[in-house]
């Protein structure tokens, strides 16, 4: 019997990848990088004055921890609700909720760790058209 045992793995994100949200992500833990079955986790950097395209996630929840900066998240069926997240704060985005993220600084990037209960990075991100 030659069974493969699960392995503890360290990941150092390399080059940023452009995402469907139109933000640079540094991919960390995912199904593709470490064979994760129920989790993905990465670093997002929103450039000064930058914003994501409005979008929603099909079938998974997202947790965000802001490391640096202030990010305005507009959300809802008409993006009519707003919440500001600052360094040291968490943000929860339920599955299927349309949203967009906006860096409130015109001079400094905002950085956040993003975790999802799905191992795919982009497969279930859908554009939101108002």
């Amino acid at each position: 019997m030659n069974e493969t045992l699960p392995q503890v793995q360290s990941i150092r994100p390399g080059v940023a990848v452009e995402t469907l949200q139109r933000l640079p992500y540094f991919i960390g833990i995912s199904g593709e990088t470490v064979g994760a079955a129920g989790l993905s986790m990465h670093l997002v950097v929103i450039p000064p004055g930058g914003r994501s395209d409005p979008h929603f996630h099909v079938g998974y929840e997202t947790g965000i921890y802001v490391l640096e900066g202030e990010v305005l998240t507009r959300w809802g069926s008409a993006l009519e609700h707003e919440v500001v997240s600052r360094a040291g704060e968490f943000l929860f985005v339920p599955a299927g909720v349309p949203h967009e993220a906006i860096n409130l600084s015109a001079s400094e990037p905002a950085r956040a760790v993003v975790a999802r209960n799905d191992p795919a990075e982009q497969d279930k991100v859908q554009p939101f058209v108002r």
Side-chain angles (χ1 to χ4, degrees):
M1 248 182 169
N2 189 6
E3 291 184 31
T4 303
L5 296 175
Q7 298 180 23
V8 174
Q9 300 177 57
S10 176
I11 300 295
R12 180 175 295 276
V15 177
V17 297
E18 188 69 22
T19 63
L20 296 171
Q21 299 95 313
R22 297 179 46 85
L23 291 176
Y25 279 32
F26 295 85
I27 305 301
I29 297 167
S30 71
E32 189 173 311
T33 60
V34 298
L39 172 72
S40 64
M41 193 172 184
H42 53 271
L43 176 69
V44 63
V45 179
I46 306 174
R51 67 189 315 144
S52 69
D53 282 350
H55 63 282
F56 61 95
H57 309 145
V58 177
Y60 64 82
E61 300 170 326
T62 302
I64 300 168
Y65 181 75
V66 180
L67 298 167
E68 296 176 350
E70 291 186 333
V71 178
L72 170 69
T73 301
R74 296 177 60 218
W75 61 276
S77 60
L79 302 177
E80 70 276 21
H81 305 288
E82 296 182 347
V83 62
V84 175
S85 302
R86 294 171 176 82
E89 295 180 346
F90 289 93
L91 181 71
F92 173 70
V93 181
V97 174
H99 61 284
E100 67 179 348
I102 303 163
N103 182 350
L104 293 176
S105 174
S107 60
E108 299 294 324
R111 291 180 174 80
V113 174
V114 179
R116 299 177 174 154
N117 62 328
D118 191 289
E121 287 302 319
Q122 293 289 295
D123 295 352
K124 299 173 187 169
V125 174
Q126 296 293 314
F128 174 67
V129 181
R130 292 181 248 172

